[in-house]
Amino acid sequence: MSRIVIRKAIILAGGHGTRLQPLTNVVCKQLLPVYDKPMIHYPLSTLMLLGIEEILIISTEKDTPSLQNILGDGSDLGISISYAVQDEPRGLADAFIVGAEFVNGDPVALMLGDNLLYWGNLNAEWQRCLSVENGAFIVGTRTREPERFGIIETDETGSILSLEEKPARPKSNIAAIGLYFYDERVCDFARDLKPSARGELEITDLNNLYLEEQSLQALILSRGASWIDLGTVDSLMKASNFVSIVEQQQGLKIGCIEEVAHHCGYIDDEQLLRLAAKYAKSPYGAYLTGLIA
């Protein structure tokens, strides 16, 4: 098996959530409910399942205290969670400038805070992403609305030919889902970027720097995986319905950070039961307790 080199990740949970107003006038976008959990639990659980134990959450000055109040420092989950403030939206690649001290010259993953990713077993493909050296990985999936997303064009061998941000005439139907893996040079690359026409440091421009040196690879999700962008009211409803159906059919939860922490060995049975006690009067608490039984 490949040697794992990525142990850190950033969750970008900034922005003003304008597409979700007036909901986001009341609560931070990443704390909006997706069925029975806050939105932020889904990207956090994904990174934990990948074996990443050091996580930086970047959000706004207004929303950071709310996120910190909900998640704390991660010690209850056996991981480390820290926080940084992005005082105004400056593009996704700005995460590596805001988070440079956290990254500290190490390889790092980036996941957007409004993503729900559901897949089966962690296979060798994910190990390749986590083991990236001298390059980067971008994760994509097929979509019926390619004009809404950053698009990955590949050849018949899977090699990346081009990247485009929300193109009017997409060259493929493979959308970047907002999960990336980078080597230790990413913060330096981000500092060299120039703002785009809309005044932001674009993640596509950052990825193109890796593409130009032929060190950017793509992982395209298989048909058994599901990805939902949680940035609109309709997609929130769609995601809640999806999670509800899967959980009720399987009797297992999606995005349950306490269960993931226990499954990954970050916490033991006693610690899980202490977490379950916080939800003693809810079905969620009964589920966590049942994991021990």
Side-chain angles (χ1 to χ4, degrees), residues 9 11 54-58 64 68 72-74 80-84 102:
I11 297 177
E54 293 182 62
I55 295 169
L56 173 70
I57 297 177
I58 297 177
T64 295
Q68 196 163 6
D73 63 2
S80 171
I81 301 176
S82 53
Y83 301 85
F102 165 80

Side-chain angles (χ1 to χ4, degrees), residues 20 35 52 69 103 110 169-170 174 206 215 267 277 280 292:
L20 286 165
Y35 189 49
I52 293 174
N69 183 55
V103 175
L110 171 68
R169 294 182 176 82
I174 299 174
L206 174 63
S215 65
I267 60 175
I292 303 301

